[in-house]
Amino acid sequence: GQQLNQSPQSMFIQEGEDVSMNCTSSSIFNTWLWYKQDPGEGPVLLIALYKAGELTSNGRLTAQFGITRKDSFLNISASIPSDVGIYFCAGRPSLDSNYQLIWGAGTKLIIKP
Amino acid sequence: GAVVSQHPSWVICKSGTSVKIECRSLDFQATTMFWYRQFPKQSLMLMATSNEGSKATYEQGVEKDKFLINHASLTLSTLTVTSAHPEDSSFYICSNLGGEFQETQYFGPGTRLLVL
């Protein structure tokens, strides 16, 4: 099925470093969502974005809804060990009427000891 | 955010048996719920959209007679994997709609199915 282009696929960083990941689409989206999934668990919503240009923070996390409505990024500042996991972006296309989401392939965050 | 529970959290069954997975919306009524499956190291794949009081809408390639969905109440949707086979082994996750504009999906903790 259709997927968003999420990058990078994985990141190896040192504790304390900042992290940035993004998702892009060839079509316009009405909603962008960022989730984190730990092994064996369901995805947990981090940030929801509903308007183009919207910049929203949740603690050390910041996400933005791109002004073109075709992209979004997630930043994590001062990473800590519990940030390890897989981060997914998801978006609702503007022409979709049944609330289904299109998913990115995920970004695996690994923190080097 | 909305709270979603799933039961069981994991199940092991013999090939040929049927397995029922429950998904409950705990803190509000959900007319629409979604069922996903996820294979290792992959993203979520939507299987079907479950609508309260009506038939589920299945994604292309998902057999409706094999994956039976019942959404008989506003707080409960069930997924039954009938005549399960080893290739059905996967992580099954449900979600409901919530948020300010009812455009945010909140997920359950998932059910790990292993078919021997």
Side-chain angles (χ1 to χ4, degrees), chain B residues 21-112:
Chain B
I21 303 170
E22 294 184 349
C23 176
R24 294 184 184 274
S25 179
L26 297 182
D27 56 349
F28 76 97
Q29 296 177 332
T31 56
T32 301
M33 302 178 85
F34 302 92
W35 285 96
Y36 293 82
R37 65 188 300 183
Q38 185 179 33
F39 293 105
K41 299 183 180 181
Q42 293 188 21
S43 188
L44 284 73
M45 293 174 50
L46 180 65
M47 299 176 65
T49 302
S50 172
N51 301 296
E52 188 269 336
S54 64
K55 292 182 179 180
T57 303
Y58 290 81
E59 294 302 296
Q60 190 174 10
V62 178
E63 301 175 57
K64 63 180 181 180
D65 294 328
K66 181 168 183 62
F67 299 99
L68 300 178
I69 292 174
N70 185 291
H71 193 156
S73 79
L74 289 172
T75 59
L76 174 65
S77 175
T78 61
L79 169 69
T80 301
V81 183
T82 61
S83 186
H85 291 283
E87 59 265 30
D88 298 323
S89 298
S90 188
F91 192 51
Y92 292 87
I93 317 172
C94 68
S95 69
N96 65 9
L97 276 178
E100 182 179 358
F101 303 106
Q102 291 287 302
E103 294 194 10
T104 303
Q105 289 189 25
Y106 295 90
F107 288 85
T111 297
R112 176 74 61 189

Side-chain angles (χ1 to χ4, degrees), chain A residues 23-103:
Chain A
C23 277
T24 60
S25 169
S26 58
S27 57
I28 293 173
F29 278 55
N30 278 348
T31 302
W32 285 94
L33 306 170
W34 285 93
Y35 292 88
K36 177 176 184 273
Q37 187 177 26
D38 292 326
E41 301 287 335
V44 174
L45 181 68
L46 300 174
I47 293 177
L49 303 163
Y50 301 109
K51 300 176 184 177
E54 181 180 355
L55 182 70
T56 299
S57 293
N58 178 7
R60 292 178 297 107
L61 278 62
T62 302
Q64 186 161 28
F65 192 141
I67 196 68
T68 65
R69 297 171 64 191
K70 293 183 179 180
D71 63 322
S72 177
F73 71 75
L74 174 70
N75 288 342
I76 305 173
S77 63
S79 59
I80 61 178
S82 61
D83 291 334
V84 167
I86 300 178
Y87 293 79
F88 290 101
C89 63
R92 181 187 167 210
S94 63
L95 297 180
D96 182 81
S97 60
N98 55 8
Y99 301 100
Q100 293 181 5
L101 297 176
I102 306 299
W103 289 84

